[in-house]
Structures are given as C-alpha cells and as structure tokens.
Amino acid sequence: MIRLFLIAARNLKRSWFRTIFTVAGAAVALIAFVMLRTVLWAWNVGAENAAVDRLGTRHKVTFIMPLPKRYAEDVRQVDGVKQAAYMNWFGAKIPTRPDEFFASMAVESNAFFDVYDEMVVSPEDKARWLADKKGAIVGHVLAKKMGWKVGDKVVLEGTIFPGDWEFNISGTYKASRKSIDDSEFLFHWDYLNDALVGEQKDHIGWVTARVTDASRSAEISKAIDRVFDERDIQTVTMSERSMNVSFMAGFSALLTALDVVSIIILGIMLLVLGNTIAMGVRERTKEYAVLRAIGFEPWHVRFFVIAEAATLGIVSGAVGVGIAYPFVNNMVGRAIEENMGAMFPYFRVEPNTALLAFVIAIALAAVASLIPSIQAGRVSVTDALRRVG
C-alpha cells in the first residue's frame, strides 16, 4: 500500500508547472484562512481567557447606565466575595492623535490591582501612583507606542466627560495572563469624581468582584443581584467571560462575516485542487486503462488518484502553514500588537489553528479527488485504449 502511494505521489512531477502553481494557489488560500481565523481568535481571546473567579455587576438595563458608588460596598458584603473594585469607562483620545484607540478607565485605586492581580505593577510605580491624584498607570505596549515614560505629563481629551484632562505617568503594567491587554490607561476614580457635578457625581460604571470559590460563581451572582432587587436601580451580575462577550455583541455581524469569508476561501481552494486533479486524471486515462488491462483492480486506480491528491494536499498544507506561521507571528502579529493593542492585544497563530489548516488542506484534496477517482475506476479498458489525445 505504501509503495502504491509513493508511485502515485511521483505523478505530481509530470507537470512541475501545474503542480507549483496549484500548490501556490492553495497555499495563498491557506494563508488567508489562517489570517482570518487568527483575527477571530484574537478578537475573542479576552473572553476565552477570562478569569473564572471574577464577576461583573452592572446596571440591569444596559452597561452604559451608571450605578451608585455605594453599591460597591454592598457587593463586598455578599458572602463569597473576596474583594471588589469599581470603575468607570472614561473614553478619551489624544488631541494630537485623535484616531488612536485605547481603553481608558477611572478605577478604585486601593482595590483595583487586587482584583486584577494579573496586571503586574512594580511596588515603586504603584506607590508613586497612589501618592499622585493625577497619576496614571498605562500598559507597557501603549507606553512604548506613544513614547510615554515615568514622569511625563499627558493631556487627554475627554469624550464622555468633556474637557482636557491632565495626567502624570506614574508607571506601567504588564499582563501576566491573556485575560487583560497591555494597552489600557488607568487613573484614579476620585480624580474624575471630584470634577463631576449633578447626577454624574458619585456614580460608577460597574463593579468587578473576585469570589472565594469559582464553582459558586452562579450562586454568588444571584446573591449579589438579590441585594438590589428592592432598590430603585437593579443590577445584573455575570461571569467575566459573559461580560466580555456582551461587550463584543455589537461586532457579532462583523465576526460572522469573517467566519463566512473563511469558509468561502476554503471553497475556492477546493475548486483549485479539484481542477488540477481532474486534469491529471483526464490526461492519464490510457494509463489507467493499461493498469486495468494487466490486472489492477478498480480500487487500485481509485487509490492512485486519491493518493496523488493527498500528496498535493500535504505539500500545499505544509507550504501554506509554513509561510503563514512566521508571517503572522513575526511580522503581521507583532505590528498589530504594537499598533492595535487595544483591539488585538494578542495576535498569534494558535497551534490548533495551524493544525486545522494543515488537516483541512489534506481533507479538501481528498474530497476534490472523489469524483475523478470514481470516474477513473469506472474507465472502460477498450474505450480508453481507443481514445486519441
């Protein structure tokens, strides 16, 4: 069987020009497929790697409606809650670079880094931050991109909270897990609150809590919401993963479109492989007839076709994945992480994605060979030997 496979694989050498261009076309399709799947993975990485012991509590109606600040203390009193911190989405831009997007949040200074312990800050930076009301801690990727260093003064233009806001860079953080990106801008909630008046004052966006037992997350979520059932403002508490997914709900149409496009690319690849295989079978009709005439069975002929197609798929998969892996990880991914870290903090080809692409290449080649192999196995010896050209 192995010898028959090797004989069939040698047939690809008969037309180097066709084989090279087929492999190139299939490889390009695989690179595009890997890129799209990596985009989808990178977009969802925060949800997939969310901390299992963290819960988010927000307004029951919608995320954009605020909660009274006192709710945070009530959450802390719920049995099973180990620590909690409140925060507010700030929404700001750099006046000189208005199109630059990054997450900016006003956070509870004393508790935030206990709840988000994967955000590693040096003791010196944290002490400097706590001592400065205008202090800000920024992700190391964002700091590098903007050229910020400790001691720099930065002015952001508020969008949700209009005005020019001045900050002092107190330090940077680096995420130790993929649940958090390295491009956030964090500052003291008190600094924001002191500048607010009217209904905006003493209100927060949401509360994040860490629980003592992740297996009790659902139970603790219900207990938190029960505390506020009889209040004017009710809440909804969910796992961090669910909250991250809800944030991405607005982009669901785009993600679905990318998913569809990746499937279309595979369809194009199937057509490319199928055309090449069909042409090869048509050219070797007489050869298959001779094989039948000297005693080979129909399944031998079919095996030759499928083996040749599988070899084509293996070569295409190896070339496509072999190019896509370093191209995405060392070139495209690095550039995206440095320039679009807020949206794609981790842009790397997952081993599972690379393996999937390789397997798909072989599977599509095998599928593309089914009809030609069946036709080759049914070839009439006398008709094929009489065929001219």
Side-chain angles (χ1 to χ4, degrees):
M1 188 70 71
I2 295 177
R3 183 173 297 178
L4 291 177
F5 186 93
L6 294 176
I7 293 173
R10 292 195 190 100
N11 284 327
L12 293 176
K13 297 191 297 183
R14 293 194 175 197
S15 178
W16 281 112
F17 184 82
R18 180 193 302 160
T19 299
I20 290 173
F21 273 84
T22 300
V23 169
V28 169
L30 276 182
I31 293 171
F33 174 79
V34 169
M35 278 287 295
L36 289 175
R37 301 312 301 182
T38 302
V39 169
L40 293 172
W41 173 85
W43 192 267
N44 291 284
V45 67
E48 293 177 358
N49 293 276
V52 296
D53 63 341
R54 266 200 305 256
L55 305 175
T57 300
R58 63 168 176 82
H59 197 291
K60 189 173 184 177
V61 177
T62 174
F63 174 77
I64 64 174
M65 297 181 70
L67 298 172
K69 173 179 171 288
R70 64 180 182 275
Y71 274 32
E73 190 58 39
D74 293 329
V75 170
R76 292 190 181 99
Q77 302 307 313
V78 174
D79 179 50
V81 173
K82 179 167 58 177
Q83 181 58 283
Y86 54 81
M87 58 207 75
N88 232 97
W89 182 267
F90 184 59
K93 57 185 178 181
I94 302 171
T96 56
R97 300 174 68 170
D99 295 328
E100 195 69 50
F101 174 79
F102 55 92
S104 54
M105 291 187 291
V107 303
E108 184 182 5
S109 310
N110 295 323
F112 181 80
F113 288 112
D114 293 328
V115 175
Y116 290 91
D117 60 347
E118 68 267 49
M119 302 176 80
V120 181
V121 183
S122 71
E124 296 78 14
D125 286 355
K126 188 175 182 180
R128 190 182 303 111
W129 180 58
L130 292 173
D132 185 359
K133 187 176 181 179
K134 292 185 178 181
I137 296 288
V138 300
H140 73 99
V141 171
L142 178 63
K144 180 180 178 181
K145 180 181 179 182
M146 305 309 302
W148 294 337
K149 59 184 182 299
V150 173
D152 285 354
K153 292 188 181 298
V154 175
V155 175
L156 299 183
E157 181 182 337
T159 53
I160 301 174
F161 305 96
D164 291 335
W165 299 77
E166 184 179 281
F167 300 95
N168 302 318
I169 303 299
S170 300
T172 62
Y173 74 86
K174 187 171 184 178
S176 61
R177 299 195 300 271
K178 293 180 180 179
S179 51
I180 293 291
D181 67 81
D182 286 311
S183 298
E184 296 187 7
F185 188 101
L186 310 170
F187 64 95
H188 301 288
W189 179 86
D190 289 337
Y191 177 46
L192 170 65
N193 191 57
D194 288 348
L196 301 179
V197 295
E199 295 183 354
Q200 285 187 319
K201 197 173 185 67
D202 293 328
H203 278 75
I204 57 178
W206 69 97
V207 180
T208 300
R210 294 199 71 160
V211 299
T212 55
D213 184 357
S215 64
R216 296 181 56 214
S217 293
E219 172 192 339
I220 297 172
S221 296
K222 293 178 181 178
I224 292 174
D225 292 334
R226 278 198 299 269
V227 173
F228 308 109
D229 277 347
E230 303 301 323
R231 309 250 185 120
D232 291 339
I233 298 176
Q234 287 83 47
T235 63
V236 58
T237 301
M238 62 189 75
S239 67
E240 182 173 271
R241 185 182 189 283
S242 297
M243 181 166 277
N244 288 344
V245 170
S246 70
F247 291 162
M248 297 184 295
F251 299 93
S252 59
L254 174 60
L255 299 179
T256 301
L258 291 177
D259 218 355
V260 171
V261 171
S262 68
I263 295 174
I264 292 174
I265 288 174
L266 294 181
I268 295 173
M269 182 177 169
L270 178 64
L271 293 176
V272 170
L273 293 171
N275 181 64
T276 298
I277 295 167
M279 289 177 64
V281 170
R282 188 165 54 249
E283 290 174 354
R284 288 194 290 277
T285 299
K286 283 189 176 182
E287 294 179 21
Y288 294 142
V290 171
L291 290 176
R292 290 293 312 281
I294 62 178
F296 281 81
E297 298 293 334
W299 73 267
H300 287 114
V301 175
R302 295 190 183 103
F303 181 82
F304 277 126
V305 177
I306 295 174
E308 182 179 337
T311 304
L312 188 62
I314 291 171
V315 174
S316 299
V319 172
V321 174
I323 294 174
Y325 210 91
F327 176 70
V328 174
N329 286 2
N330 300 330
M331 297 176 63
V332 178
R334 185 172 298 175
I336 288 176
E337 287 177 358
E338 292 177 355
N339 296 283
M340 302 175 65
M343 292 181 286
F344 299 105
Y346 304 97
F347 200 92
R348 292 288 187 270
V349 177
E350 281 286 280
N352 289 340
T353 301
L355 179 61
L356 176 65
F358 183 72
V359 171
I360 283 177
I362 301 173
L364 287 180
V367 170
S369 69
L370 289 180
I371 294 178
S373 67
I374 292 173
Q375 292 175 338
R378 291 175 177 173
V379 66
S380 170
V381 176
T382 53
D383 290 343
L385 291 175
R386 282 201 304 264
R387 185 177 301 175
V388 177

